[in-house]
Structure formats: C-alpha cells, structure tokens
Amino acid sequence: MTLPNFNELEKKFFEKIQGVQTLDETEAIRQEYLGRKGIFSALVDNLKALPPEEKQKTGKDVNTFKTMVLDRINQKKSEFELKALEETLKKDKIDWTLPSYPFMPGKSHPLTQVMGELTDIFQGMGFEIAEGPEIETDENNFGALNIPDGHPARDMHDTFYIHSATDDPGSKLILRTHTSPVQIRVMREQKPPVRIIAPGKVYRHEAVDATHSSVFHQIEGLVVDKNISFADLKGTLEMFTQRFFGKNVQTRFRPSYFPFVEPGVEVDISCTICHQKETHPHCPVCKGKGWLEMLGAGMVHPNVFKAVDYDPEVYTGFAFGIGIERVAMIRYGITDMRLFYENHLDFLSQF
Ligand code: PHE
C-alpha cells in the first residue's frame, strides 16, 4: 500500500476548515475527520499493513496531524461560540455594568475564633491537641475521674443519658459533661510525659439562661511528668491569662473542690471591664466583686492515676478546664451567653 501523503491531506483540510461558515459545518468536518468512520480511523487501519519500521514513523506523523486538526477545529468552534455570545449580549436588555448586591465575606464564629486563640497560646507553650468523642462512657466521664456512682458531684453534672442495655459503667453512654474524660483517654493511650489540651463541646442538663446553656465549650489541659508541681500549674495559667487578656491582668487562685484533683482551685482574673477602679460597685460584668471566675484546675488526684495505671508515687501532674463561652464573654464584655447561639448577623459580624 502507499504511504499517506500528509502534505496533500493538510492542504485539503485547511481548504475545508477555512471555508466553514457555521458551528454545524465545523462539527461536520470534525465528524469527517475524527468520527468513528472518519479519515483518521482509516489512516490508523492502514497503518496495520505497514512494515514495523515504517509503521512507527508514519504512526507518529498521523498523530501530529491529528493534534493539529483537533486544535484547529476547536479554535474554529470557539470563534463561532464567542460570536454567538456577543450577538445574544447585544440583543439582551440587561445592563451588565450595574453594581451587584453587597457581598459580605464570611468569617468564623466568635467562639471558634476564641477557641483558635486559646489553642494557639497553649500550642506555643508546647501542648499538643487531643480529641475525644462527645458521646462518652459513664466510666470515662465520671468513674475514672474519681466520681463514683452516687457521688454528690454528679448532681452538678446531670446530663443526657443515652439508652444502653447494661448498667456496666464502661458501656453506659452519656453526653460528656466536661472535657475531662479526654484526660482518661489520653493517659490510657500513652505513657508520661503528657502535655495536651483538648478543646470541644460539652453537655449538661441546664435550664438555659444568660449564663447557662445545655451545650457549651471547654478546653481541657493536662500535664503529667516526674516533678510537676503546683508552681508549674500557676506559671502555665498565669502565662495563659496574660497572653489572652493582657499583661495588666491579675490572677487569683481560690481553693475549690473537684473530685479528680487535689488540691483543687478556681482561678479568677481581675475584672477586665472596670479594672477594679472606683466605679466598680456598679460594674455590669463583675457586679462589683472586682474578680471574674474563669476556670477550674488542680493537681491530678492519685485515684485518677490509679485508674489509668500510672504510678502516683512516680508521677505528678496538673489539669485545668476553661469554659470557652466564659472567656469570650469576659473578653468582649458580653452579659448574655444566648447571643452566641442565636446567630444574628448584627451580633456576629462585630467580631
Ligand atoms: N471538668 C471541670 C468542670 O467542668 C473543670 C476542671 C478541669 C477542674 C480540670 C479541674 C481540673 O467543671
């Protein structure tokens, strides 16, 4: 058989493509060349009869030619399409130059922003982020944290119980009432040293009002190693309050009780609204107390270490739990927590 004459083929193709007047005509040429029974399938069929050395070279030429044909056809098609669009636009009565409706770029919710800032601060101090599920076992949320069944501390943590067939605290499921069960999960997974924070949602059976919500957010912290002392706890939390609220903020540690720490404290900061100045009896945020309660903390209780198989004679540690809504309210002087959840843009777009 004779080899295809590419010069001839190309010349013919160019004559055709230059002559087309419409999109349909271009499509017809595409069919003629690239369709199933088109010129190219014939060329490829003919290749089969060639001796191997020529087959390779001619095959390449066929491909080059094909790419060229395809490019040219596509180019023609775009030309026609553009022309059609221009004509529609000309006929159209729409004024494309009218300004559009104002468009507000989205941003993260203030609670998400605060959560991000807190995690940044602690990550800067070398903490890693840990996570746990919102549906927890009774055992992780209470038992392993030294809050056995019937313990009065459970009263404050009434929650939503999820139906389970057994009474075994390891499989009884609840919505977690604090992020502290993440402490248990982490310690059961890894050996000391531990230095983690665990941000997330928590749930309690609360009547919703200006300062309570049945869903809210906490960030848990846990440090365990040899020779961790209360001084480390104080230093860490003071560093945190200064980074978050500013250098002039004072911190106060008050004795308090949480079953999973000993000793336990609540940490207050000096009121960031009235700064404990003369006007403070009327301060809307601290109500004249001059101090704002901010978080719970303490040294990890030996019973907690026993529950996770850490030797309390070898290791010590501290833990803290910060309410995200609380710190956000303090920082921005917000007096009603419900504003965070109602999702009015007037409120949210201020942050
Ligand atoms: N989990 C406690 C609460 O939600 C806070 C806390 C965490 C206290 C860690 C001490 C240590 O009330």
Side-chain angles (χ1 to χ4, degrees):
M1 71 153 276
T2 53
L3 291 176
N5 181 343
F6 285 105
N7 281 339
E8 195 58 34
L9 281 168
E10 257 179 53
K11 212 173 117 204
K12 224 158 138 202
F13 171 72
F14 275 120
E15 272 164 21
K16 280 196 178 166
I17 195 84
Q18 261 150 29
V20 295
Q21 302 292 336
T22 64
L23 199 55
D24 288 347
E25 285 174 27
T26 322
E27 175 56 22
I29 294 187
R30 197 189 66 78
Q31 285 291 346
E32 183 185 342
Y33 278 81
L34 300 158
R36 224 154 43 84
K37 298 221 169 99
I39 291 177
F40 276 103
S41 2
L43 281 173
V44 170
D45 276 347
N46 287 345
L47 281 179
K48 290 182 192 135
L50 293 176
E53 47 309 343
E54 268 174 42
K55 196 192 272 181
Q56 205 184 16
K57 166 152 192 329
T58 313
K60 256 193 201 147
D61 290 344
V62 170
N63 264 333
T64 320
F65 181 40
K66 186 175 173 182
T67 319
M68 193 274 292
V69 166
L70 194 62
D71 281 355
R72 197 72 190 87
I73 288 176
N74 285 338
Q75 191 189 340
K76 260 287 175 230
K77 280 190 166 176
S78 322
E79 280 169 28
F80 286 126
E81 278 160 4
L82 187 65
K83 218 187 268 167
L85 181 65
E86 277 168 2
E87 261 150 42
T88 338
L89 288 183
K90 238 184 268 167
K91 273 188 262 152
D92 234 327
K93 291 285 183 292
I94 297 171
D95 179 357
W96 297 95
T97 64
L98 271 181
S100 66
Y101 293 108
F103 178 78
M104 212 169 64
K107 50 181 168 173
S108 21
H109 190 280
L111 290 177
T112 312
Q113 291 181 32
V114 167
M115 187 100 97
E117 266 186 69
L118 297 186
T119 22
D120 277 355
I121 290 174
F122 285 108
Q123 277 183 310
M125 294 192 237
F127 284 75
E128 278 174 60
I129 295 181
E131 276 185 312
E134 289 166 25
I135 297 177
E136 249 310 353
T137 60
D138 185 280
E139 160 72 8
N140 286 346
N141 194 84
F142 295 123
L145 287 164
N146 202 28
I147 319 177
D149 238 349
H151 192 289
R154 288 200 182 208
D155 268 4
M156 279 193 297
H157 287 236
D158 191 12
T159 182
F160 304 93
Y161 284 77
I162 289 163
H163 174 79
S164 69
T166 82
D167 266 346
D168 161 28
S171 45
K172 204 156 107 192
L173 296 178
I174 61 171
L175 293 184
R176 68 179 179 188
T177 61
H178 49 180
T179 41
S180 302
V182 185
Q183 291 187 34
I184 302 299
R185 286 180 176 270
V186 169
M187 289 191 281
R188 287 205 168 128
E189 277 285 304
Q190 69 175 81
K191 292 275 150 251
V194 171
R195 203 193 284 151
I196 57 107
I197 49 165
K201 275 197 183 66
V202 300
Y203 302 82
R204 288 191 202 175
H205 183 186
E206 297 276 9
V208 176
D209 65 21
T211 52
H212 295 89
S213 164
S214 49
V215 186
F216 58 103
H217 301 80
Q218 291 187 332
I219 187 165
E220 189 80 9
L222 173 69
V223 173
V224 183
D225 204 346
K226 289 177 180 155
N227 301 318
I228 297 291
S229 74
F230 198 86
D232 297 308
L233 162 67
K234 279 190 86 172
T236 305
L237 291 177
E238 264 164 21
M239 167 98 89
F240 151 68
T241 49
Q242 294 203 346
R243 292 224 171 132
F244 189 77
F245 292 106
K247 282 248 176 303
N248 299 328
V249 162
Q250 311 267 330
T251 323
R252 173 172 88 168
F253 290 72
R254 261 184 305 113
S256 183
Y257 176 73
F258 302 96
F260 37 94
V261 289
E262 177 58 33
V265 289
E266 269 174 271
V267 183
D268 302 337
I269 59 164
S270 52
C271 180
T272 49
I273 304 300
C274 71
H275 302 286
Q276 305 183 342
K277 297 269 159 55
E278 316 80 65
T279 50
H280 86 239
H282 305 293
C283 176
V285 174
C286 70
K287 304 267 165 12
K289 289 195 234 99
W291 295 95
L292 299 165
E293 183 187 318
M294 222 192 25
L295 59 95
M299 302 305 291
V300 180
H301 196 289
N303 287 352
V304 175
F305 281 149
K306 282 181 204 151
V308 298
D309 251 349
Y310 277 15
D311 186 349
E313 297 299 325
V314 179
Y315 296 108
T316 49
F318 66 82
F320 56 86
I322 306 173
I324 307 286
E325 278 78 354
R326 256 210 98 69
V327 293
M329 286 168 82
I330 294 174
R331 141 105 43 109
Y332 298 116
I334 295 166
T335 47
D336 194 331
M337 191 191 251
R338 287 168 290 198
L339 288 166
F340 287 129
Y341 312 119
E342 287 167 350
N343 286 331
H344 291 309
L345 285 180
D346 297 358
F347 172 76
L348 294 178
S349 55
Q350 298 176 77
F351 301 94

